[in-house]
Amino acid sequence: MWPWLLLAWLGAATPDPALSLIRAAATHAPDIAVTRAQARVFGTRIEQARALDDPTAQLSVFPLPPETRAGAQLLGVGVSQRFPWPGVRDLRAEVARADADAAALDVDTVIARVIHDARRLAHEVVYLDAYKVILDEEREHLIRHEESAEARYVAGNGLAQAMIKIQAEISRIDAERLDIETRRAAYWARLVELTGSEPEVDLSLLPDGAALPFLRTGVMWQPSAIASRGVLRDRALTERPALVAKRARLAAAEHRVVLAEQVRRPDLTAGLRYTFVEPRDDVATPPRDDGDDVLALTLGVTLPVWKEKNQARLLEAEAEVAAARAALAREQAVLDRELDDLLERMPRLERQLTLYRDVLLVQAEEALASAEAAYATGAIGALDLLDSEHVLFEVRAAALRTVTDLAHARAALDHTIGRRWDHPSPRPAP
């Protein structure tokens, strides 16, 4: 598993090492669940915005019935319906739809952030596991040197200084291993919190002696073939969820301006009223329509006379547009800054890793081989051999850290340009 994970980081045609964790995060992460639930709330508001207000039913009872020519009015019932100015309901629905779109894009934004964080945490966990293997191997070497130095000291051919220094180095490694265990536990706890469940993939599984196989076996590695800045920026402008969400919010704010202009027009109210009339019994000759009930049709309009309120509503909508444009400009500035940083950092990390592979590791291994030969002939002591071995271990650890930083940078590039988590990372050059 370990070689497969590391090759994935180096740009081979394999999925991200945290793919299972990414899928779990996208499905079960608490932050995503909260944002998705909020998006469903906005989705239910579209039909509400389009719908008419509920009609109003009225009942009029006359304790002192008014007398009319046709008789006394006893009871009146009616119903009325308010109708916004033509087009206002559609505008309200457009505003609600734009808000729902922005909320849905907020879900994509949170998914992208959670996945990016999960990838970084997974990379750090694997780094700590591999770094611990390096320390364990160095510790085994030190223990062998300690036994050899002790034997020489007992025989009178060695110095106590060599034993003391070796023991100090072993203590240093033990302290580093404890620190690694603490950090790994913290990263793993954050992964569990982020994904909402115990991760399925055990990133601690490492084959025996498989520390840094790409450095030992000479696995070929090539720099990533990354598109130009203009191509990446154009893609991010259309696919980066946070940026698309900001544009959706700008569209919603612009719809609100049009709506604020329309609501200054009057609403219409239409109604129907039916009045029950009691026949007259106080006249000898009742009128021809005696006791006939009354049906009335009503029509009314609102009077938008409070101009200050309507003007304030319009100013509020225009302020929302200005704020949405500023937020969009800020997100574009963040995009430009992240792209500039990554496009400068990634080639530098790749050159640094090439330097480790082609120069520093070769020199450290040759220096160690020369020191071992000199130690076998007695030309140098155990401390000199120990220093040569320590240099090789330090170079391997530094190379591993560079690999991890490069993995972080590639994950950050995916996040910056809005690349979907299930798409491959930038492919290596042929």
Side-chain angles (χ1 to χ4, degrees):
M1 177 178 175
W2 165 245
W4 177 82
L5 294 177
L6 197 53
L7 286 174
W9 286 358
L10 295 177
T14 53
D16 188 280
L19 185 58
S20 296
L21 293 176
I22 287 169
R23 287 173 175 164
T27 306
H28 304 294
D31 290 349
I32 297 175
V34 171
T35 311
R36 187 175 284 124
Q38 292 172 343
R40 286 197 295 269
V41 172
F42 283 95
T44 62
R45 295 178 179 175
I46 299 175
E47 291 304 320
Q48 298 180 53
R50 188 189 302 277
L52 290 169
D53 293 338
D54 291 334
T56 301
Q58 298 173 336
L59 174 65
S60 301
V61 179
F62 304 102
L64 300 175
E67 288 288 346
T68 66
R69 184 184 63 84
Q73 296 182 0
L74 301 178
L75 182 68
V77 295
V79 62
S80 62
Q81 176 67 59
R82 186 170 180 173
F83 298 93
W85 189 266
V88 170
R89 291 168 55 201
D90 291 337
L91 281 173
R92 289 174 179 170
E94 286 299 323
V95 171
R97 182 176 293 106
D99 287 337
D101 292 342
L105 289 166
D106 284 341
V107 177
D108 292 340
T109 302
V110 175
I111 289 176
R113 176 182 59 79
V114 169
I115 288 173
H116 176 245
D117 292 346
R119 291 177 69 179
R120 287 184 60 87
L121 289 169
H123 294 155
E124 286 296 329
V125 168
V126 175
Y127 161 74
L128 292 175
D129 287 341
Y131 185 38
K132 188 177 179 181
V133 172
I134 294 176
L135 291 178
D136 290 343
E137 185 176 347
E138 184 177 6
R139 191 177 189 278
E140 291 176 3
H141 280 252
L142 289 172
I143 290 175
R144 289 198 296 269
H145 287 314
E146 181 187 24
E147 294 173 352
S148 176
E150 182 178 3
R152 290 193 176 194
Y153 177 73
V154 172
N157 297 325
L159 300 176
Q161 179 184 4
M163 291 179 53
I164 295 174
K165 183 174 181 180
I166 292 173
Q167 291 170 355
E169 287 295 311
I170 293 175
S171 299
R172 175 189 62 81
I173 290 177
D174 289 340
E176 284 195 46
R177 292 173 76 251
L178 288 174
D179 179 66
I180 286 175
E181 292 174 1
T182 301
R183 290 162 58 192
R184 190 189 191 281
Y187 288 140
W188 194 259
R190 176 57 182 150
L191 265 176
V192 173
E193 177 187 1
L194 198 64
T195 59
S197 61
E198 187 73 22
E200 297 179 2
V201 179
D202 185 0
L203 299 178
S204 67
L205 295 178
L206 298 176
D208 294 338
L212 300 180
F214 78 103
L215 299 176
R216 293 183 167 186
T217 60
V219 174
M220 295 304 295
W221 171 84
Q222 295 291 338
S224 300
I226 302 176
S228 66
R229 184 186 186 280
V231 172
L232 293 175
R233 189 176 189 276
D234 289 343
R235 176 171 182 173
L237 290 176
T238 58
E239 298 185 15
R240 181 181 170 104
L243 201 57
V244 182
K246 296 294 188 299
R247 283 200 295 270
R249 285 201 158 75
L250 175 58
E254 291 172 344
H255 285 308
R256 283 191 176 88
V257 172
V258 180
L259 180 61
E261 294 173 346
Q262 289 292 325
V263 296
R264 293 187 294 179
R265 299 181 179 182
D267 292 342
L268 307 177
T269 302
L272 181 69
R273 180 180 177 82
Y274 190 87
T275 304
F276 296 92
V277 179
E278 184 180 34
R280 299 187 62 175
D281 56 3
D282 59 342
V283 294
T285 305
R288 184 175 57 182
D289 55 354
D290 181 39
D292 289 350
D293 296 337
V294 180
L295 178 64
L297 300 177
T298 62
L299 182 65
V301 296
T302 59
L303 301 177
V305 297
W306 309 115
K307 296 182 179 180
E308 294 82 2
K309 178 188 68 175
N310 296 327
Q311 184 64 23
R313 183 186 292 115
L314 179 60
L315 291 176
E316 178 186 359
E318 291 174 345
E320 287 185 1
V321 170
R325 285 176 178 164
L328 178 60
R330 181 182 60 186
E331 189 65 28
Q332 290 175 342
V334 170
L335 167 64
D336 291 334
R337 176 181 57 78
E338 290 179 355
L339 271 182
D340 291 340
D341 174 66
L342 289 169
L343 293 180
E344 184 278 331
R345 193 189 342 154
M346 291 182 67
R348 175 166 46 83
L349 289 171
E350 290 174 339
R351 290 195 301 269
Q352 186 176 351
L353 191 56
T354 302
L355 177 64
Y356 280 123
R357 183 197 65 184
D358 296 340
V359 180
L360 296 179
L361 277 169
V362 174
Q363 292 176 346
E365 289 174 350
E366 290 177 350
L368 177 59
S370 176
E372 288 175 342
Y375 180 74
T377 61
I380 61 173
L383 293 180
D384 295 323
L385 177 61
L386 180 64
D387 289 339
S388 297
E389 287 186 340
H390 185 63
V391 168
L392 178 59
F393 286 122
E394 282 190 336
V395 172
R396 287 176 176 173
L400 179 63
R401 183 67 253 180
T402 304
V403 169
T404 306
D405 292 340
L406 183 57
H408 288 338
R410 288 176 175 171
L413 182 62
D414 288 346
H415 180 257
T416 297
I417 66 176
R419 191 191 308 275
R420 294 290 298 184
W421 61 269
D422 51 350
H423 288 188
S425 297
R427 293 272 67 79

